[in-house]
Amino acid sequence: MNFNTDPDGNDNTALFPIGTVSEQTGVNTVTLRAWERRYGLLKPRRTPKGHRLYSQQDVERVKQVLVLLDQGIPVSRVRDVIDSNNHLTLLHPAKTAQTDDPWRHYCTLFQRWIHKLDARSLEQVFNEAVSLYSLELVAKKLLLPLHQQLWQQQGVLPSTHADYAFLHEFLCAKLGSRYLQHNGRATGKHILLANTCGHEAQLETLLLANVLSQHGYQVSLLGTKTQLDHLPLIIGRVIFDALLLPQHGSITSALHALVNMTNIRVFLSGTQEEQTPETQEHALIQRLPTDLSEVCRFMDQTLLIPGKAP
């Protein structure tokens, strides 16, 4: 962290490098640079060597941009909305702003290239989307809804299974590659992410791996067919700060036994079902927020990562 000084040489404003801003907001560095170059949403200062430095005001602006994007404002129009200081627009953009829907546009392109089984063109659209928007937002607005739509469609029309299979394999390959790229630079706490649910949780598992590693967590990823009774041996030979399980449903007695045996903190994604007396919540077992953009903040608060405010 750097500090801007006033004429008397006193520390005035804290300035953060782009990596710190990315960790604080969940927006990757490529997207932050794109917002600056293409749309003028940010105006960071520069060091003598040309490195970007952001103020706390810049960080708050990034968070404001995220709110507007989540409400459906296209990135190309966000600056006009923010500069207008129209608080009514910020609260009710769908009613007060005439906007194009970028997600409908991306969905149309995805469907076109999926139908043609064109991985190269699909990758270009994917890369454009995640360069302008956070992966969490792209997943929420585009990837997960379309993936679910094609899954349901092929259940009714088996002849359309190829569309679902093509998208699923594309996303798994793309997210797997991104996870490895980010995880290689991560230096934060060590998380064991294990998919004990099988094929149906594979996409969710890879999205979690991406979000965590991009945020700085070191993630060891275990794919499909992982079983709970395999984990004590792994946890015994490697030091992990937490275990994360994409798990939809109730907490089982087997999970309680695992926690009692290893004393590891467990985070569960997915929705919660009614608990029976035998499977009540354990003190070391916690549910993650369903919104991907809130996952890292929740884990930061729970694990009390040094230097991160709760």
Side-chain angles (χ1 to χ4, degrees):
M1 181 187 302
N2 293 356
F3 290 90
N4 184 38
T5 58
D6 60 25
D8 296 324
N10 299 315
D11 287 342
N12 188 4
T13 304
L15 298 176
F16 310 96
I18 193 169
T20 300
V21 177
S22 179
E23 287 188 6
Q24 289 183 5
T25 62
V27 180
N28 65 51
T29 56
V30 173
T31 299
L32 290 172
R33 295 188 186 100
W35 287 356
E36 174 192 344
R37 290 195 302 264
R38 299 188 195 180
Y39 304 108
L41 289 171
L42 298 167
K43 295 181 180 179
R45 304 182 190 186
R46 299 277 186 157
T47 68
K49 293 186 178 181
H51 299 301
R52 294 171 172 83
L53 292 175
Y54 299 81
S55 67
Q56 186 60 43
Q57 185 177 0
D58 292 324
V59 174
E60 295 305 318
R61 187 177 177 93
V62 171
K63 294 177 180 178
Q64 191 176 29
V65 171
L66 290 174
V67 170
L68 291 169
L69 294 178
D70 190 49
Q71 294 174 335
I73 304 295
V75 66
S76 59
R77 300 190 182 181
V78 164
R79 181 178 177 183
D80 292 338
V81 174
I82 292 179
D83 291 347
S84 71
N85 283 323
N86 189 331
H87 298 292
L88 183 62
T89 298
L90 295 180
L91 291 173
H92 306 288
K95 296 181 180 179
T96 60
Q98 297 296 321
T99 64
D100 299 323
D101 185 348
W103 307 112
R104 182 181 301 175
H105 167 69
Y106 283 126
C107 186
T108 299
L109 291 177
F110 257 65
Q111 290 173 323
R112 177 189 303 168
W113 302 129
I114 290 169
H115 184 69
K116 294 180 178 294
L117 303 184
D118 187 338
R120 180 179 299 180
S121 297
L122 190 61
E123 182 177 27
Q124 291 174 349
V125 179
F126 177 96
N127 289 342
E128 178 184 319
V130 296
S131 73
L132 298 177
Y133 304 93
S134 69
L135 177 62
E136 296 93 322
L137 190 59
V138 174
K140 176 182 178 180
K141 297 288 190 178
L142 176 66
L143 305 182
L144 291 174
L146 183 57
H147 186 266
Q148 181 66 17
Q149 175 188 328
L150 293 182
W151 166 255
Q152 294 173 343
Q153 176 180 288
Q154 60 95 37
V156 177
L157 297 171
S159 60
T160 65
H161 174 74
D163 290 350
Y164 166 76
F166 179 73
L167 176 63
H168 182 81
E169 293 305 321
F170 169 83
L171 290 178
C172 288
K174 192 66 179 175
L175 292 171
S177 175
R178 286 172 59 89
Y179 150 70
L180 291 175
Q181 178 184 2
H182 290 296
N183 204 53
R185 300 194 295 265
T187 58
K189 288 187 179 292
H190 197 177
I191 306 297
L192 176 60
L193 174 55
N195 178 8
T196 58
C197 295
H199 174 83
E200 66 272 16
Q202 188 175 6
L203 180 58
E204 178 187 351
T205 302
L206 286 168
L207 283 169
L208 285 167
N210 272 263
V211 170
L212 291 170
S213 59
Q214 184 175 299
H215 192 70
Y217 284 100
Q218 300 178 69
V219 179
S220 292
L221 179 60
L222 298 180
T224 57
K225 298 185 179 180
T226 300
Q227 298 180 21
L228 284 179
D229 57 8
H230 296 165
L231 297 181
L233 274 177
I234 299 170
I235 295 171
R237 69 175 187 247
V238 181
I239 297 176
F240 294 102
D241 294 289
L243 167 66
L244 199 163
L245 301 174
Q247 177 169 323
H248 297 260
S250 61
I251 295 173
T252 64
S253 56
L255 183 56
H256 273 249
L258 172 66
V259 174
N260 291 333
M261 183 185 304
T262 62
N263 202 39
I264 193 170
R265 182 175 295 279
V266 176
F267 295 99
L268 301 177
S269 67
T271 56
Q272 179 178 2
E273 294 182 355
E274 184 178 353
Q275 303 298 307
T276 66
E278 295 77 18
T279 59
Q280 292 296 318
E281 299 283 1
H282 190 288
L284 288 177
I285 301 175
Q286 291 181 281
R287 296 277 178 176
L288 290 173
T290 56
D291 191 331
L292 276 174
S293 63
E294 297 294 327
V295 165
C296 290
R297 178 174 175 80
F298 181 87
M299 291 182 61
D300 287 352
Q301 292 174 338
T302 306
L303 297 175
L304 296 178
I305 294 180
K308 292 186 180 294

